[in-house]
């Protein structure tokens, strides 16, 4: 296992996160199991690209830190695909640009690949609230709203349907089998906070490789900064609605049975238990109990509304995405990058395949 090199991809898009980006890179360079390389992929921001290239100039020559421009359309998925294509490692790990990894993050990831069937290993993402503490009304069951591990995920190292994209790793052969991240489904800078691109990829991977094992190891920990703007109910509601839109695209691509498999358990077991806990805390006069119960109900209804709207759009053909077929760049030993149509039956130009 020690012979497998790990490349770390960090996608960035704004200089507003400058200090966060530097901290993320520093946390990778301080790993107990060193990364083969860190790739900073800049999303259509020439000024930030130039600034980062200057910042890491002394490390680029040796390949320790490489700064690249997103070679695809604007957005997180294309940025990740650019990083995959340019990377040299047999394992590719992804870290959010506003997160820092604990020292043994990559070591725990690498241990999971001792089993050759393992195609992906994810970790645990802990929120770091800008205000210094979790808002009393914010339910742990909805920590996915701020990109973090939520209540309801099983503890330990366990098999899962999908990993969470901001703290995840994949075997390179996973992308050979299933293609890259779908563009048109995930985040695009500061626009509506869509998601689910890693869910769609993982389901597609499991279809392409039925023997594939996907794991989450909660010892692989990162700490994710939650800005003040995301501590408010307005963002909570916006993100829940966007999740519904994204889930509709995933269900359209892979079918509702697989696309909503985990969500059914979450909605029928985890969330009702969270509402009951909140109401109990309210009766015991504990802070935020009623607010948490209300937020769970509101989050479910808002996400359901987004799903309904997204389903209608998908049926009418107004919401599409496409999947990249990844081929490594010349530096990595292979050339070229071709595209294939995604689950919507359209190619990169939006034409029917």
């Amino acid at each position: 296992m020690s012979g497998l090199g790990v490349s770390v991809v960090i996608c960035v898009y704004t200089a507003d996160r400058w200090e966060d980006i530097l901290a993320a890179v520093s946390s990778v360079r301080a790993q107990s199991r060193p990364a083969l390389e860190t790739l900073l992929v800049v999303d259509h921001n020439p000024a930030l690209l130039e600034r980062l290239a200057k910042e890491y100039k002394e490390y680029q020559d040796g390949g320790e830190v490489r700064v690249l421009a997103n070679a695809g359309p604007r957005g997180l998925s294309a940025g990740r695909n650019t990083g995959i294509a340019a990377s040299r490692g047999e394992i590719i790990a992804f870290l959010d640009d506003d997160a820092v990894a604990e020292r043994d993050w990559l070591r725990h990831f690498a241990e999971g690949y001792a089993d050759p069937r393992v195609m992906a290993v994810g970790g645990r993402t802990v929120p770091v609230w800008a205000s210094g503490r979790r808002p009393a009304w914010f339910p742990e069951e909805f920590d996915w709203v701020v990109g973090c591990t939520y209540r309801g995920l099983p503890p330990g190292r366990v098999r899962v349907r999908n990993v969470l994209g901001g703290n995840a790793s994949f075997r390179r052969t996973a992308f050979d089998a299933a293609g890259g991240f779908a563009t048109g489904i995930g985040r695009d800078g500061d626009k509506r906070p869509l998601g689910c691109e890693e869910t769609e990829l993982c389901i597609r991977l499991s279809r392409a490789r039925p023997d594939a094992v996907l794991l989450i190891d909660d010892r692989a920990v990162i700490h994710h900064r939650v800005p003040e703007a995301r501590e408010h109910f307005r963002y909570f509601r916006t993100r829940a609605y966007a999740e519904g839109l994204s889930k509709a695209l995933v269900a359209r691509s892979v079918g509702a049975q697989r696309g909503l498999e985990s969500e059914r358990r979450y909605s029928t077991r985890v969330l009702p238990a969270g509402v009951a806990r909140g109401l109990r805390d309210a009766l015991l006069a504990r802070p935020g109990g009623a607010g948490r119960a209300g937020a769970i109900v509101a989050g479910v209804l808002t996400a359901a509304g987004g799903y309904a709207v997204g389903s209608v759009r998908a049926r009418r053909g107004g919401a599409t995405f496409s999947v990249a077929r990844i081929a490594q760049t010349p530096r990595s030993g292979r050339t070229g990058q071709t595209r294939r149509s995604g689950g919507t039956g359209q190619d990169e130009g939006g034409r029917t395949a």
Side-chain angles (χ1 to χ4, degrees):
M1 182 62 237
S2 60
L4 294 181
V6 182
S7 298
V8 177
V9 175
I10 303 174
C11 295
V12 304
Y13 70 98
T14 176
D16 293 343
R17 293 184 176 181
W18 180 257
E19 295 300 328
D20 292 328
I21 295 168
L22 300 186
V25 174
S26 293
S27 75
V28 175
R29 297 185 62 229
Q31 289 294 298
S32 61
R33 187 192 195 283
L36 178 66
E37 60 187 347
T38 301
L39 295 94
L40 285 169
V41 183
V42 183
D43 192 18
H44 298 268
N45 186 331
L48 180 59
L49 180 71
E50 181 179 1
R51 186 179 179 187
L52 284 169
K54 290 180 180 178
E55 178 71 23
Y56 291 107
K57 186 178 187 303
E58 64 178 297
Y59 301 108
Q60 288 211 79
D61 292 340
E64 182 183 353
V65 180
R66 296 161 58 195
V67 180
L68 312 169
N70 178 2
R74 187 182 300 275
L76 180 57
S77 291
R80 286 173 173 165
N81 291 339
T82 297
I84 296 164
S87 64
R88 295 179 289 125
E90 293 156 283
I91 306 298
I92 299 118
F94 299 93
L95 179 66
D96 275 346
D97 64 344
D98 52 357
V100 293
E102 291 191 359
R103 178 172 170 76
D104 292 328
W105 177 62
L106 289 182
R107 181 172 69 83
H108 292 305
F109 273 175
E111 288 172 354
Y113 292 100
D115 182 343
R117 299 174 303 160
V118 173
M119 289 288 113
V121 181
R124 177 162 56 96
T125 302
V126 179
V128 180
W129 303 94
S131 61
R133 59 188 302 179
R134 171 186 296 275
W137 63 269
F138 203 113
E140 292 183 25
E141 292 80 0
F142 272 78
D143 275 5
W144 55 262
V145 164
V146 291
C148 296
T149 302
Y150 55 90
R151 183 193 290 265
L153 288 176
R157 184 195 284 177
V158 293
R159 192 167 180 171
V160 293
R161 179 195 67 180
N162 64 275
V163 297
L164 304 179
N167 179 12
S169 64
F170 292 84
R171 206 182 284 272
R172 177 174 297 284
T173 52
F175 302 111
D176 294 337
F181 289 91
T183 58
I185 189 174
R187 295 223 175 198
D188 179 1
D190 290 317
K191 293 183 179 180
R192 177 171 284 159
L194 299 171
C196 294
E197 65 274 16
E198 66 274 6
T199 301
E200 192 276 337
L201 170 62
C202 289
I203 295 173
R204 187 167 12 102
L205 172 59
S206 295
R207 281 183 164 182
R209 290 282 303 270
D211 62 332
V213 174
L214 286 69
L215 302 173
I216 283 183
D217 187 337
D218 66 5
R219 299 172 302 168
V221 179
I222 70 169
H223 298 266
H224 186 272
R225 189 175 67 82
V226 181
E228 191 272 338
R230 297 187 181 182
E231 295 186 8
H232 299 287
F233 184 71
R234 180 178 179 181
Y235 180 82
F236 179 93
R237 184 178 56 196
T238 300
R239 179 68 184 90
Y241 181 78
E243 183 74 2
L245 292 175
S246 300
K247 281 290 190 296
L249 271 178
V250 172
R252 178 74 169 174
S253 171
V254 302
Q257 181 65 30
R258 293 300 305 276
L260 300 177
E261 184 178 27
S262 296
E263 288 73 15
R264 290 191 182 93
R265 176 189 172 277
Y266 172 74
S267 299
T268 58
R269 299 182 186 179
V270 176
L271 295 184
V275 171
R277 233 180 344 262
L279 294 176
R280 180 198 63 197
D281 288 348
L283 290 174
L284 295 174
R286 293 172 180 167
R292 289 192 295 275
I296 290 174
V297 173
V300 170
L301 294 176
T302 304
Y307 182 83
V309 171
S311 297
V312 171
R313 290 179 181 173
R315 283 196 299 269
R316 292 176 177 174
T320 63
F321 63 93
S322 55
V323 177
R325 177 62 66 183
I326 304 294
Q328 288 178 284
T329 60
R331 176 168 183 159
S332 302
R334 286 185 285 174
T335 60
Q337 180 174 340
T338 59
R339 304 273 177 174
R340 68 177 175 84
S341 61
T344 56
Q346 297 197 354
D347 68 12
E348 285 288 282
R351 298 180 296 274
T352 301

